[in-house]
Amino acid sequence: MDELVFLVATAVIENIPQLKKIFKFYPKHFDHKNSHHAGTKTKQFPLGLFDCNETKTTELIKLLKELQAKYVPCNDEQIVEPVFFGGDRLTDERFQAAQLAMLNGGTSAERLEGFISKIEDFHRLMNFLEAICKLTYSTESGRDRVSAYYFRNVLNARNVKGDVRNHYRAYKLLYYTILDAMCCLSFLNEFGLSDFEEVIQFPENFALYSENEKISWMNEICRSLLRKHFFDSDTDIFRQLREILADPSHPENYWTSHLEDGRVKCHFCDKTYAYVGSLKVHEEKIHNAEIPQTKAKSKSQTDEDQFRNYCLLLVKLALLHKNLDTAVDMADGERSVRSAKYELPIYNITNKTKYAIGSIHLISLTESTCILNKDQKDRLTANRFINLQGGKNNNMALDEYVELLNRESKDMLSGFQTKESILAHSKEFPHIINYVQHYDDFCAVSKRKGFHHLPSYSEDVRKVAVELADTGAFSCERGRQLRCKALSADERFYDSSFRGLGTLIHRHKPIVAYHRLRNKRI
């Protein structure tokens, strides 16, 4: 809750001129457990490129053996301390497949247990935004005045196009602009205002307040806005979903509630089966059983205000994404990992199964008491970021930096003619890239060579806020319908995200840190 209050307050202060002058002292960094390390510049030790095709398990096993021998502490073929190995979800899956292939090894080193795979945050951010766009973005929604695509046209954001993964930052900027506009508008509405230039009525003797008292006043207003628009007066947005997953008798948990020695047991006799599909056929044919079904979600009522519901849905999802994004910027590993709980249901309802599995693994690794020890959990949580320039809010996800290195390295390969030459010089690439990017600093050239004018972000926020105020986005007017049926207007999206989630969690919840592939019996 406190993190979201910080995000809303920051958005309001940065975009409303009156508040920006008064709250210059409002903190830019949200303090957390590792804040004292967040601004430390990272030291880099490039390992170079490796000749390996990760789609081939044999080549990946060979590479892991070489890396394990060089970089993992080992004593008599037994791993002393495993090292975390990160990547996107596909790399994570292939890595686990390689470990599974070596499961019969006699020692921990032979079983490749020197590495524990994990998914990194930049790919999580991209896929989370892609899932959000599946619910809230459609090129057919240009006539709906509250839709993200409508605001894309209003702002002339022509770089917002195609797949999210190919234009991630453009999509992110669009959604953050809409989010900040909604936060500002809801803040002004609390004072009965609708224009950024109208005078805000501060409490009596507000000028005499101390800085901490002014911050507390601002935070309390933003907290009330969150309770009103985000939590709907219930501070646990996961309450109903948690109750379903914790209730074995719920129809959604019909299959996973009747396990016996890792096999699924018939509800009417003593037969057990390795696969749920076999059990379904058995119960239907032998016992003529009617399988309990969860109730289908009722269709939207014609008297619902879909405009308001859509706006609430969009602000909730965009705020969750920004929460993860700022956690990366501020090197807040605990907040980053905790965000996986909120991503999981969204991945489930948008059929992004691979990243739903990745979220299950990440949550299990950090919260289970029998998979990792405390020191390993702390390393998994804290060591997710890199800081290239120093400063508490200048961190980036490890996999984002690797993507940047890959892009720059490909440009440098043109000077080498053979694969052997490329591999031999690859350790130099990150250093050369650094020299090229900071050439002016090294040569003491301080004069700017050019100017790049960006549109005013605050002006875009104001433009969106004016449109939202004109449509009465947060006022409840029964019967307003979205023309585009591809958009979701279900503001309580977590209540409809449980279908199949219980089975998915049981099937992929790991019991060991290695070879965490699915349990095929569920």
Side-chain angles (χ1 to χ4, degrees):
M1 181 68 166
D2 291 339
E3 297 95 333
L4 301 184
V5 170
F6 173 80
L7 295 179
V8 174
T10 302
V12 170
I13 291 170
E14 290 296 323
N15 294 288
I16 298 181
Q18 298 174 64
L19 298 178
K20 194 170 185 178
K21 293 178 181 178
I22 297 173
F23 288 91
K24 292 180 179 179
F25 50 81
Y26 195 87
K28 305 295 183 184
H29 178 85
F30 185 82
D31 284 333
H32 54 85
K33 178 181 176 182
N34 296 312
S35 284
H36 56 291
H37 294 307
T40 305
K41 190 173 181 179
T42 305
K43 293 182 180 179
Q44 302 178 56
F45 302 94
L47 303 182
L49 299 175
F50 297 92
D51 185 12
C52 175
N53 183 353
E54 71 172 22
T55 63
K56 298 180 179 179
T57 303
T58 53
E59 292 191 23
L60 189 56
I61 291 173
K62 180 182 177 182
L63 173 63
L64 292 177
K65 284 183 177 180
E66 294 176 0
L67 294 177
Q68 185 174 260
K70 289 181 179 180
Y71 304 112
V72 178
C74 189
N75 183 21
D76 293 333
E77 289 296 310
Q78 296 297 331
I79 302 300
V80 176
E81 183 62 47
V83 176
F84 286 101
F85 192 105
D88 61 8
R89 174 57 196 157
L90 187 57
T91 299
D92 184 42
E93 185 178 350
R94 288 167 173 166
F95 187 100
Q96 293 166 34
Q99 288 181 318
L100 185 62
M102 302 298 292
L103 188 58
N104 292 329
T107 65
S108 57
E110 291 177 353
R111 293 191 296 270
L112 299 178
E113 293 181 0
F115 295 108
I116 301 174
S117 67
K118 60 172 181 171
I119 60 170
E120 300 288 2
D121 295 334
F122 178 61
H123 285 85
R124 284 175 57 202
L125 280 165
M126 281 199 299
N127 280 272
F128 191 27
L129 185 56
E130 193 172 50
I132 291 171
C133 288
K134 281 188 176 183
L135 297 174
T136 60
Y137 189 89
S138 172
T139 56
E140 299 174 0
S141 62
R143 293 188 297 168
D144 292 309
R145 291 189 62 191
V146 293
S147 70
Y149 184 70
Y150 173 80
F151 289 121
R152 179 259 187 198
N153 294 336
V154 168
L155 300 175
N156 195 28
R158 287 176 290 180
N159 54 346
V160 180
K161 58 184 179 181
D163 294 336
V164 175
R165 68 191 68 183
N166 295 331
H167 301 88
Y168 166 68
R169 286 176 178 79
Y171 276 94
K172 182 176 75 170
L173 183 62
L174 172 65
Y175 272 81
Y176 286 0
T177 304
I178 299 171
L179 170 64
D180 287 0
M182 289 182 173
C183 291
C184 292
L185 181 61
S186 59
F187 181 88
L188 293 173
N189 287 344
E190 284 291 302
F191 294 89
L193 308 176
S194 59
D195 189 272
F196 283 49
E197 301 301 329
E198 295 185 67
V199 179
I200 298 173
Q201 295 297 322
F202 294 101
E204 192 175 350
N205 298 325
F206 184 75
L208 302 178
Y209 282 17
S210 66
E211 290 186 356
N212 288 336
E213 288 174 334
K214 290 180 179 179
I215 291 174
S216 298
W217 176 83
M218 172 60 71
N219 287 345
E220 192 54 39
I221 293 178
C222 294
R223 195 181 304 275
S224 66
L225 293 177
L226 281 171
R227 289 198 180 102
K228 181 178 180 181
H229 297 300
F230 191 87
F231 292 106
D232 302 321
S233 302
D234 186 353
T235 55
D236 186 4
I237 61 176
F238 255 4
R239 180 178 55 81
Q240 182 173 343
L241 183 59
R242 187 180 290 107
E243 289 174 357
I244 291 171
L245 296 178
D247 181 12
S249 62
H250 192 276
E252 188 62 31
N253 302 322
Y254 181 78
W255 303 110
T256 58
S257 63
H258 217 216
L259 298 175
E260 187 176 280
D261 297 330
R263 294 169 64 86
V264 286
K265 186 175 182 297
C266 177
H267 294 76
F268 306 98
C269 65
D270 294 331
K271 281 253 186 183
T272 62
Y273 291 87
Y275 299 97
V276 163
S278 303
L279 177 58
K280 287 181 179 179
V281 173
H282 167 77
E283 290 194 4
E284 289 174 355
K285 287 190 175 182
I286 304 301
H287 301 286
N288 295 320
E290 293 185 5
I291 308 303
Q293 298 290 335
T294 52
K295 292 183 179 180
K297 181 186 169 187
S298 58
K299 295 182 179 179
S300 60
Q301 302 290 331
T302 55
D303 61 342
E304 277 189 353
D305 186 357
Q306 289 191 350
F307 274 40
R308 182 176 182 274
N309 289 350
Y310 172 83
C311 288
L312 293 178
L313 169 67
L314 193 149
V315 73
K316 290 175 182 180
L317 292 174
L319 195 57
L320 288 174
H321 184 277
K322 192 170 186 178
N323 181 54
L324 175 58
D325 195 17
T326 54
V328 173
D329 290 341
M330 300 176 188
D332 190 349
E334 290 186 349
R335 179 152 54 113
S336 171
V337 170
R338 191 166 60 246
S339 177
K341 296 180 181 179
Y342 301 98
E343 298 165 39
L344 174 57
I346 307 303
Y347 292 143
N348 187 51
I349 59 178
T350 54
N351 298 316
K352 294 184 73 64
T353 306
K354 285 187 179 293
Y355 273 83
I357 295 170
S359 295
I360 293 171
H361 287 179
L362 186 57
I363 296 168
S364 299
L365 289 177
T366 53
E367 297 202 352
S368 175
T369 57
C370 57
I371 299 179
L372 300 179
N373 59 43
K374 184 179 183 303
D375 179 62
Q376 290 171 336
K377 289 180 184 178
D378 289 342
R379 285 195 286 122
L380 173 61
T381 303
N383 298 328
R384 308 183 63 83
F385 319 102
I386 186 171
N387 193 323
L388 299 178
Q389 60 189 44
K392 287 188 174 181
N393 291 2
N394 293 324
N395 298 275
M396 69 170 65
L398 292 172
D399 54 332
E400 180 179 9
Y401 181 57
V402 172
E403 293 291 340
L404 295 176
L405 281 180
N406 288 341
R407 183 188 66 187
E408 302 291 346
S409 297
K410 288 176 181 177
D411 292 337
M412 302 186 65
L413 296 182
S414 59
F416 301 95
Q417 301 299 318
T418 64
K419 181 170 66 175
E420 290 74 17
S421 177
I422 292 171
L423 295 175
H425 291 85
S426 59
K427 290 185 179 181
E428 304 166 6
F429 293 168
H431 298 300
I432 297 175
I433 293 169
N434 185 46
Y435 294 151
V436 171
Q437 292 178 343
H438 299 90
Y439 180 79
D440 287 354
D441 292 336
F442 297 140
C443 297
V445 178
S446 58
K447 185 178 178 181
R448 292 184 63 177
K449 293 185 177 180
F451 298 90
H452 184 59
H453 298 283
L454 291 174
S456 171
Y457 181 78
S458 296
E459 286 300 319
D460 286 348
V461 170
R462 183 176 302 193
K463 190 181 297 185
V464 173
V466 168
E467 286 284 342
L468 289 170
D470 189 45
T471 57
F474 289 110
S475 61
C476 187
E477 299 178 19
R478 296 289 181 181
R480 290 195 296 184
Q481 300 287 309
L482 294 171
R483 287 190 174 99
C484 179
K485 302 305 178 184
L487 299 179
S488 173
D490 180 16
E491 45 123 356
R492 299 189 64 86
F493 50 92
Y494 279 129
D495 294 347
S496 57
S497 63
F498 60 82
R499 191 178 297 277
L501 187 56
T503 302
L504 187 71
I505 292 174
H506 274 271
R507 189 182 193 190
H508 293 282
K509 188 176 181 180
I511 57 176
V512 293
Y514 317 99
H515 45 80
R516 303 189 305 270
L517 296 181
R518 70 181 182 274
N519 179 355
K520 297 181 180 180
R521 294 181 176 180
I522 302 301

